[in-house]
Amino acid sequence: MPHFYTEPTITVLARPQFIEPAHLPVNWMGESTDGERLAEFAGRLCYMSQKNPANRTTREYLENIKKQGHGSVLEHATYSLLFEGVSRSLTHELVRHRAGFAYSQLSQRYVDESEAAFVVPPSIIGDESLLKAWQTQIESAQTSYVALVAELMERYKWVEDKVHRRKMAREAARGVLPNSTETKIVVTANVRGWRTMLELRSSEGAEFEIRRMAVMTLRIMQKEAPGMFSDFETYIAPDRAEAARIAYHKI
Ligand SMILES: Cc1cc2nc3c(=O)[nH]c(=O)nc-3n(C[C@H](O)[C@H](O)[C@H](O)COP(=O)(O)OP(=O)(O)OC[C@H]3O[C@@H](n4cnc5c(N)ncnc54)[C@H](O)[C@@H]3O)c2cc1C
């Protein structure tokens, strides 16, 4: 019986480390994280306003940046997240976000999927009969995959390089694996990119699995850098699932 995920696991792999230059100190006010300070430092450099004449806290300063639409300042802060327990269909949608993003995803050509896990589509969770029908198809697909890999390894046994032969078998056999196959992906993006992706994918129009992932990611980013994500608010949409909306649209 394969492992079935009912929600993703999201891990922060990297966050900015801000090193203040001794010759350009900023009159910081209020609480802040390194990512927020980096963005404030970059923004203040433009007008050489390190003295902070308006006596703004970092989060007030960043609120104004978002309001004014100076999104380029937010590009300096970059965060890397590891997503596990997400489906191939989710990552297929995620990788459409290009500007400011970098991706590294598990290879189905190199990695054996005989014991792959699968992600239960959120709309199926809680309905035993739908879940059973879905699981039956998944298990049958996995059985076919295992059989195909074995047969293809036999068919191409004349290929001397075993790594290459396995790749040939797996890349063909994966054709029978469903969109729900679990995958892992490392995603690095700057805050401007994260904001755009989260706005689109946490909205009511987004597909349920990526929307759930976006809402979870948003909560993580709101802890990492409140000043750069405070204008998002989550709510329960009419379809009874969580969604989020943004105050300062696509800056
Ligand atoms: C609800 C929903 C449904 C969708 N349905 C479909 C679908 O059915 N089929 C489908 O194919 N896609 C679909 N998409 C994907 C969508 O078309 C975009 O590919 C995806 O949302 C990424 O958006 P983006 O290009 O703005 O993002 P990014 O690539 O992150 O770009 C961000 C911004 O940078 C600028 N930019 C980036 N690249 C360029 C460029 N090359 N030239 C000029 N400006 C650029 C643009 O201003 C862009 O908005 C869907 C998306 C959503 C949210």
Side-chain angles (χ1 to χ4, degrees), residues 199-212:
E199 177 184 349
L200 289 168
R201 302 300 181 176
S202 66
S203 73
E204 289 180 35
E207 185 270 342
F208 269 163
E209 190 197 346
I210 199 166
R211 179 167 141 193
R212 176 182 62 190

Side-chain angles (χ1 to χ4, degrees), residues 1-54:
M1 177 80 112
H3 177 72
F4 294 110
Y5 281 91
T6 51
E7 66 172 24
T9 307
I10 308 173
T11 311
V12 178
L13 298 178
R15 55 174 70 95
Q17 182 186 21
F18 174 63
I19 302 158
E20 186 175 32
H23 62 289
L24 281 176
V26 169
N27 178 20
W28 306 108
M29 300 189 78
E31 225 185 303
S32 56
T33 61
D34 274 19
E36 292 170 300
R37 283 190 179 206
L38 175 58
E40 178 175 353
F41 182 88
R44 290 201 178 280
L45 185 88
C46 300
Y47 303 126
M48 291 302 277
S49 67
Q50 291 86 0
K51 285 198 176 130
N52 193 355

